[in-house]
Amino acid sequence: MKAFTKRVSVVGLAVASALVSTLSVAAIDVSAASTAITTDGSAAMTVIGTAMVTISVVALVFKWAKAAIFG
C-alpha cells in the first residue's frame, strides 16, 4: 500500500510539473491592458490633481476671508 501511494504521488508530481511547464511557456498579451491603464490612469490622475488644487484654493480663500473679517 505504501509503494502504491508513493507511485501515485510521483505520477501526480510528474503531471503537475508538466502542466506548470506548459503553462509557463504560453505568451500572454498585456499590451491592451497596459495601454488602458496608461490612458485611463493619466486621465484619472489629471482629474484628481485638479480636484486637489481646487480644494486647496477654496480652503485658502476661506482662510483669507476669515482673516479679513475677524482680523
Side-chain angles (χ1 to χ4, degrees):
M1 185 70 174
K2 200 171 193 178
F4 176 74
T5 305
K6 185 176 181 180
R7 197 173 312 140
V8 168
S9 30
V10 168
V11 170
L13 181 63
V15 169
S17 65
L19 180 63
V20 169
S21 66
T22 303
L23 291 177
S24 65
V25 174
I28 299 173
D29 183 25
V30 295
S31 61
S34 62
T35 302
I37 289 171
T38 303
T39 304
D40 297 338
S42 298
M45 285 189 281
T46 302
V47 169
I48 291 170
T50 304
M52 290 176 63
V53 169
T54 304
I55 290 170
S56 64
V57 167
V58 169
L60 287 174
V61 168
F62 277 133
K63 186 176 179 180
W64 174 80
K66 182 180 171 186
I69 294 171
F70 297 111

